[in-house]
Every structure is written in structure tokens, then in C-alpha cells.
Amino acid sequence: MEPRRLLRLLRGGALNPADALGEIGFWLERERAVTYKVQAFRKAAAAIAGLGVDDLRKRREQGGLQRIAGIGARTAEVIEQALDGEVPGYLADLRERNTEPLVAGGEEVRAALRGDLHTHSDWSDGGSPIDVMARTAAWRGHEYMVLTDHSPRLTVANGLSAERLAEQLDVVSEVDAGIDDFRLLSGIEVDIHEDGSLDQTPEMLDRLDVVVASVHSKLRMDRGPMTRRMLKAVADPHTNVLGHCTGRLIEGSRGKRPESQFDAKRVFAACAEHDVAVEINARPERRDPPDPLIETALEAGCLFSIDSDAHAPGQLDFLDHGAARVAELGVPLDRVVTTWPVDRLLAWSHAGR
């Protein structure tokens, strides 16, 4: 797919070197490349972001591109080719091998998706700034994206206190105002405490557009207590989406983790009663909920939200995985809230508050 919004054309027709480096980072993230390789291009893009074209050309003439901290031989080559008005060869190769969806079978569903309700930035455990995540989402065709960084209890993920979340809301508003034909919405992935309460003040939750509630601790609780914990969280009027409900991991660098045990019929009946969407988490290592639980949620009359749970710009395309599952399992598109226009989505998410 040829980029349109993310990239900028410079004076003289040359591709902006920083944008070229950033796009390489995107495709590598999409391919789930090793972190150090992605970071090399992301750091290089940041290193030259404040330098003009004339400055970069002058440094090249003086043999000094690699004297810039964060620029190595490969990234210098990309910068030079972009300055010469070429699509850098490495970028051209990545574009060529990323022309198809990440997984086949969900093209119709994917085309119907308008947004993503679960994403992270470098304010918590994501790897990129808010504006980069938002602009990439707009480039990839999203009409809206909800920023849902973690809540304070999740210290390992640099979760946001009420004070930091309030600061973030100002940034979200500023970024939202700067992108045409796109909405960046405020949100949080709030941790569900062991007693079922939500890990943020009600006053702050009231201010958000979307609240995703997820279990991140004591995942091996007994079935009864876990069921009660989830029922209380679902009944909270702030909860809009029940995130990755089993907490399982089926592959990846973090290893495997079994599903949490709970009474799915009761929990999904509560989701239907309280108009809470069940997340279909599209991360390949999660695929959460498993197919049988999605079928149970369907029978219960639940709404669904296909979400990327992206922690980097290139992971926004993980929606392809969720779309394929929805197509395979026959989930009606009108019950997928991320196919709704933003006004309908916000009317639903604010309805119970």
C-alpha cells in the first residue's frame, strides 16, 4: 500500500529522510522484527527530525552523517538516498513485501473497521510518542483511535497516575486538533483490582471517551473469585470494553500462559446487560478470547471490539488478525463497535455515565 498521509515530500521532490526512516520502522514493526533493528531506525529518525534538508546535505558533503548520534551505516544510506530524491532501496523492499494483509480471510471485515479502541504510547509501555501513533493510524485509514495507556497499579508498564493522565488529556486534545479527518480519543486500559474495582479515580474515568478494563494480576485466581472480580468490573458504569479477558499467551518472547478461569456465561451475560463490548484482542500472541468463548459471547448477545493493543505504530495493522477471526466466526459487523462511526461510538461509550 502506497503511503499518503504519513510521508511528506520535501522541497526539490526529495523524500523526507526522517519520514523514510520512520516508515521503515513501521514495516519492521508490522513484520514483528527484533526490537533492536526497529529501534535503530526509530532513533535515527528522531536524531535528524530537527535538521533541515540543507543541513543534512551539508553534513553529507562533509562526510559527517554518521557523526550524528544515532546514525549508523545503514541509516546513513537511507538518508542519502532520500536526499537524492530516491525511494531508499531498503524501504522499497519493505513496501514490496508488505502489500498483502497480515492474514488472509478478513478483508471485508477489515475494510469495515473505522477505528481501534486499545493502543499504547511511550507515556506507559509503548515505544512511540502519541502523535506518531495517531498520525500512523490516520495514514493506515483509521477514522479514529483511542489512546489507552495503563493505569497506576501497573508500575512495570509505567502506569499513569491521575495527575499524569490529566496531563496526557491536554496532549491528546492538541494532537487531535492537528490531524485532519481523524479523531484521537481519550481513554485508558484500566487494571481490574482483585476486588473488581477499577484502578483509577472515578473523576478521571468520567473525563475519558473510552475505558478498557483488563485483568493484569493474579491471573490464576480460582474460578469463583475471578468470576466475581470480572462481574464487578463489568457492572461499573465507566467500563466500555472488557479487555483480553482470559489473559492467555500462546506464543512470543514472553512465553506461553494459560487462560484465566471464570464463568464465561455469567460474565458475558453481564457484558450484554451492561452494554460492555468484549474485546477481540488482535495481538498474534494473545488471540484472546479463544474461539469457543467468542461463540459464547455471541450467544449471550454481546457487542465486540476488534482492537490491536498496539504498543508501536507498525502493530496497528494487527487488526488484520482480529478481522480474520471475526469473519471466520461469523460475528455480525453491526455488533462490532469499531465498525461504527465516531459519533455512534461516543454516544454508546458515554451512555452509562
Side-chain angles (χ1 to χ4, degrees):
M1 180 182 295
E2 187 69 13
R4 290 184 294 275
R5 291 193 235 184
L6 182 65
L7 299 180
R8 302 285 185 267
L9 293 178
L10 290 175
R11 289 73 60 191
L15 183 65
N16 184 313
D19 287 340
L21 291 164
E23 190 187 345
I24 288 170
F26 170 85
W27 295 120
L28 290 173
E29 289 161 349
R30 187 180 191 268
E31 294 181 344
R32 303 171 70 189
V34 293
T35 301
Y36 77 84
K37 183 180 291 187
V38 176
Q39 287 180 340
F41 290 93
R42 291 281 180 205
K43 289 178 179 179
I48 66 168
L51 299 177
V53 176
D54 291 342
D55 191 5
L56 286 171
R57 286 179 175 149
K58 188 176 297 184
R59 289 176 185 242
R60 179 179 63 172
E61 291 167 3
Q62 296 171 350
L65 283 179
Q66 291 189 55
R67 296 176 187 170
I68 302 171
I71 304 299
R74 173 59 68 88
T75 52
E77 180 182 34
V78 169
I79 295 169
E80 290 178 358
Q81 291 174 346
L83 288 173
D84 289 338
E86 305 171 10
V87 176
Y90 191 38
L91 174 56
D93 289 343
L94 284 167
R95 288 180 179 177
E96 180 64 26
R97 69 181 191 231
N98 280 280
T99 57
E100 299 297 327
L102 289 170
V103 60
E107 291 83 0
E108 182 177 347
V109 176
R110 183 67 181 85
L113 293 179
R114 296 172 180 262
D116 190 340
L117 307 190
H118 186 170
T119 67
H120 297 274
S121 75
D122 59 3
W123 280 61
S124 64
D125 62 344
S128 290
I130 294 170
D131 67 318
V132 173
M133 292 295 294
R135 292 182 184 279
T136 304
W139 166 48
R140 299 307 285 169
H142 290 33
E143 295 178 18
Y144 54 84
M145 183 191 91
V146 184
L147 180 66
T148 54
D149 279 321
H150 289 286
S151 61
R153 174 173 175 170
L154 213 60
T155 54
V156 68
N158 194 27
L160 274 63
S161 64
E163 293 74 20
R164 289 184 64 218
L165 180 56
E167 292 175 13
Q168 186 184 79
L169 293 184
D170 292 336
V171 177
V172 168
S173 295
E174 182 179 350
V175 172
D176 176 52
I179 307 177
D180 294 335
D181 303 319
F182 176 81
R183 292 293 308 279
L184 176 62
L185 303 178
S186 62
I188 191 170
E189 184 183 15
V190 63
D191 200 25
I192 300 174
H193 290 145
E194 292 173 48
D195 66 356
S197 61
L198 303 184
D199 184 39
Q200 189 50 270
T201 66
E203 294 77 16
M204 285 307 305
L205 295 177
D206 280 337
R207 296 178 61 184
L208 304 177
D209 291 317
V210 174
V211 173
V212 178
S214 306
V215 172
H216 289 104
S217 61
K218 298 294 181 68
L219 294 170
R220 306 308 300 150
M221 286 178 71
D222 289 342
R223 176 184 174 90
M226 181 64 85
T227 299
R228 292 189 291 273
R229 177 184 189 181
M230 296 174 77
L231 288 173
K232 182 174 178 179
V234 166
D236 190 301
H238 295 101
T239 300
N240 300 123
V241 180
L242 179 61
H244 49 68
C245 63
T246 77
R248 74 173 184 172
L249 294 174
I250 59 175
E251 62 168 272
S253 60
R254 290 186 289 171
K256 295 183 179 182
R257 184 166 64 208
E259 303 166 24
S260 294
Q261 297 301 306
F262 57 92
D263 187 330
K265 287 187 176 181
R266 289 182 63 194
V267 170
F268 294 148
C271 287
E273 176 186 354
H274 295 287
D275 216 20
V276 170
V278 175
E279 179 180 71
I280 297 177
N281 190 291
R283 293 193 69 88
E285 73 271 25
R286 286 193 181 275
R287 287 178 58 87
D288 198 2
D291 290 356
L293 291 193
I294 293 178
E295 292 168 352
T296 300
L298 264 174
E299 293 172 2
C302 292
L303 296 171
F304 297 88
S305 179
I306 302 174
D307 296 324
S308 69
D309 194 357
H311 286 64
Q315 295 174 5
L316 290 164
D317 272 16
F318 285 175
L319 291 179
D320 291 352
H321 293 281
R325 296 189 69 204
V326 160
E328 181 181 359
L329 295 169
V331 177
L333 286 183
D334 195 54
R335 285 169 62 179
V336 178
V337 300
T338 39
T339 68
W340 296 354
V342 68
D343 289 345
R344 181 182 178 188
L345 178 90
L346 291 174
W348 162 74
S349 68
H350 292 168
R353 300 183 195 170

